[in-house]
Amino acid sequence: MSLEHDIEHLLLQEQHLRFATLDFDDCWALGSRIREVAQARGLPIAIGVELNGQQIFFSALPGTTADNSEWMRRKLNVVRRFQTSTYLVQRQLALKDTTLPERSAAAHADYAAAGGGFPLKLENGLCVGGIVVSGLPQRQDHALVVEVLAEWLGKDPATLALPPEQP
């Protein structure tokens, strides 16, 4: 799968995965749903959901470490700053053969352009928060978030899913 195709598909995901409304209860339920899916699959992930700059949900499952929380903080900073998914930022950087610090002066210690962070946007495009997962390879972190958001919003997860990465 080409970087260009990934980027097109990631932009499409962000267009389709928007909310009419979003409140604290929704954020808690979204985080809880990701946790349920991860538990059922035995995934060692940490999950965070933020709304309007306030952490609403956090959970870490067995197999995670404090390092996952640090990755989540850095990914969420990317979502806040660029109001787009962290995997989209990563793929765009890869296409240009550059890094986030080189491209935007975003310090490596505070920003991680690695899959797993996704913006929570309203239908009008306003970014009101972010959802972050850490613990799996970055494409899988991203895929889990997209799967649950698609399910939540009544969209077909298979249609919105990225194809598996080719070796």
Side-chain angles (χ1 to χ4, degrees), residues 143-162:
L144 180 60
V145 172
V146 167
E147 176 188 343
V148 171
L149 287 176
E151 171 191 278
W152 180 271
L153 292 166
K155 310 282 181 169
D156 179 18
T159 303
L160 289 173
L162 283 169

